[in-house]
């Protein structure tokens, strides 16, 4: 890529060291501590990769999923070095997140599936058929009790309960929650990014077609529109909550809207809009240290085996 540092491929020793670091540190991206040492402002991905979701562990390993074939790429945010650690199933890997057991929970897009991948070995630990209807399982967030997945084509969420010791569920334990009440389902993509409210008692889900943010009480199965003071977030994609701030990636405007949120998530106000000349339709966001890392999907660029892709870091 002209004017950019070319990504380095892991040597066997580098990969071994990276995986050792991954195994040693377990934290969700949103909970990562401030990282030590310099980090890359731009991380090259393999040509033709077509990135979408991103998660970063406590040691600074960024995991990015491919829309092309579901591969998962791991890169060191301190050096930019990276390599595919898990071969995809031939269907997309969309949103993903990492738990304290170094397991990646991956949304499977039009396959209607979710899978759990060992971040150190790339092994698929479990795979779940969430739905057999026309669907696009898009994004995922981990709560204290398990993983919640959005479906952009159906007005519902899927829940995979995870035991206190990290035990993965049987397929029979999957729960489906309908998005009703104030939720408005329209033609095209609807439910997209998902996050917990600042107080961790409910969920926030953005409808990327209407630009409306919703608060979902998964226990009462109650959905209401969040009062953002008249602000909409069209093409809202990935969400990230850090303290009382909500970051909403808007893919086609190539920007991140920042809201100061009420603790329970019923309201918020726009306080900033972040962008970068290195953005080319960013989709999702993960935090490491004082930075935000966003993969660029480049949806308006025809994908070819030689199309270049990258992750951009901005200050939060």
């Amino acid at each position: 890529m002209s004017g950019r540092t070319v990504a380095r491929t892991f040597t066997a020793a580098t990969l071994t060291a990276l995986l050792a670091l991954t195994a040693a540190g377990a934290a969700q991206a949103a909970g990562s501590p401030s990282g030590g040492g310099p980090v890359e402002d731009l991380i090259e991905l393999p040509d033709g990769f077509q990135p979408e979701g991103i998660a970063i562990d406590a040691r600074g390993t960024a995991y990015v999923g491919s829309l092309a074939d579901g591969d998962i790429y791991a890169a060191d945010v301190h050096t930019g070095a990276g390599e595919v650690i898990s071969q995809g199933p031939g269907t997309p890997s969309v949103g993903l997140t990492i738990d304290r057991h170094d397991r990646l929970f991956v949304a499977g897009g039009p396959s209607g599936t979710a899978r759990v991948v060992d971040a150190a070995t790339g092994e698929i630990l479990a795979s779940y058929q969430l739905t057999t209807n026309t669907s696009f399982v898009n994004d995922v967030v981990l709560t204290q009790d398990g993983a919640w997945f959005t479906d952009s084509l159906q007005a519902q969420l899927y829940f995979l309960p995870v035991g206190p010791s990290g035990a993965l569920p049987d397929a029979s334990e999957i729960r489906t929650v309908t998005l009703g009440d104030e939720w408005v389902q329209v033609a095209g993509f609807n439910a997209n990014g998902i996050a917990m409210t600042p107080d961790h008692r409910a969920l926030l889900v953005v409808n990327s077609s209407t630009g409306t943010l919703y608060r979902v009480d998964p226990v009462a199965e109650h959905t209401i529109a969040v009062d953002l003071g008249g602000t909409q977030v069209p093409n809202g994609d990935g969400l990230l909550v850090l303290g009382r701030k909500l970051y909403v990636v808007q893919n086609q405007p190539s920007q991140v809207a920042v809201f100061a949120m009420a603790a329970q998530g019923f309201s918020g106000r726009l306080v900033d809009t972040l962008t970068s000349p290195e953005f080319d339709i960013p989709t999702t966001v993960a935090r490491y240290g004082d930075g935000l890392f966003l993969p660029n999907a480049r949806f308006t660029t025809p994908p070819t085996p030689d199309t270049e892709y990258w992750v951009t870091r901005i200050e939060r």
Side-chain angles (χ1 to χ4, degrees), residues 204-224:
L204 297 171
V205 177
V206 66
N207 186 314
S208 55
S209 287
T210 66
T212 305
L213 181 71
Y214 292 89
R215 181 187 188 274
V216 182
D217 182 333
V219 177
E221 298 193 19
H222 184 51
T223 304
I224 65 169

Side-chain angles (χ1 to χ4, degrees), residues 1 24-25 45 51 55 66 94 107 132 148 165 168-169 195 256 260 262 269 284 300 311:
M1 186 174 297
L45 300 173
S66 168
V94 196
T132 56
W148 288 91
S165 62
L168 296 174
V256 182
R269 60 183 177 85
T284 53
T300 58
V311 174

Side-chain angles (χ1 to χ4, degrees), residues 158-232:
Y158 309 104
F159 178 62
L160 298 184
V162 177
S165 62
L168 296 174
D170 294 327
S172 62
E173 298 177 79
I174 296 171
R175 176 184 166 201
T176 300
V177 172
T178 299
L179 296 172
D181 301 312
E182 297 182 7
W183 180 267
V184 176
Q185 186 84 358
V186 299
F189 264 39
N190 288 265
N192 198 326
I194 186 170
M196 286 191 290
T197 54
D199 67 0
H200 292 184
R201 295 190 178 186
L203 303 170
L204 297 171
V205 177
V206 66
N207 186 314
S208 55
S209 287
T210 66
T212 305
L213 181 71
Y214 292 89
R215 181 187 188 274
V216 182
D217 182 333
V219 177
E221 298 193 19
H222 184 51
T223 304
I224 65 169
V226 177
D227 179 5
L228 295 179
T231 300
Q232 299 290 100

Side-chain angles (χ1 to χ4, degrees), residues 274-312:
L274 308 176
T275 189
S276 166
E278 294 293 347
F279 280 169
D280 191 346
I281 310 186
T283 47
T284 53
V285 57
R287 169 238 178 160
Y288 184 76
D290 294 328
L292 302 175
F293 291 77
L294 300 95
N296 294 276
R298 309 193 71 193
F299 287 143
T300 58
T301 300
T304 73
D306 298 322
T307 303
E308 297 169 321
Y309 296 95
W310 62 94
V311 174
T312 301

Side-chain angles (χ1 to χ4, degrees), residues 54-124:
I54 186 170
I56 305 178
D57 69 16
R59 298 289 183 168
T61 303
Y63 301 92
V64 183
S66 168
L67 292 174
D69 57 9
D71 284 356
I72 296 175
Y73 185 82
D76 186 337
V77 301
H78 299 286
T79 67
E83 187 168 87
V84 171
I85 62 159
S86 181
Q87 295 293 325
T91 54
S93 290
V94 196
L96 52 83
T97 190
I98 189 166
D99 74 358
R100 61 188 180 88
H101 301 285
D102 295 311
R103 301 178 301 190
L104 294 163
F105 288 71
V106 186
S111 68
T113 63
R115 68 187 193 279
V116 183
V117 176
D118 187 317
T121 67
E123 176 188 359
I124 298 176

Side-chain angles (χ1 to χ4, degrees), residues 219-288:
V219 177
E221 298 193 19
H222 184 51
T223 304
I224 65 169
V226 177
D227 179 5
L228 295 179
T231 300
Q232 299 290 100
V233 280
N235 297 307
D237 206 323
L239 304 182
L240 176 65
V241 172
L242 297 176
R244 293 278 287 270
K245 281 190 176 180
L246 167 67
Y247 297 83
V248 182
V249 183
Q250 294 177 266
N251 54 44
Q252 293 289 359
S254 287
Q255 66 185 30
V256 182
V258 186
F259 293 89
M261 299 293 296
Q264 294 181 324
F266 289 105
S267 63
R269 60 183 177 85
L270 183 69
V271 294
D272 203 355
T273 301
L274 308 176
T275 189
S276 166
E278 294 293 347
F279 280 169
D280 191 346
I281 310 186
T283 47
T284 53
V285 57
R287 169 238 178 160
Y288 184 76

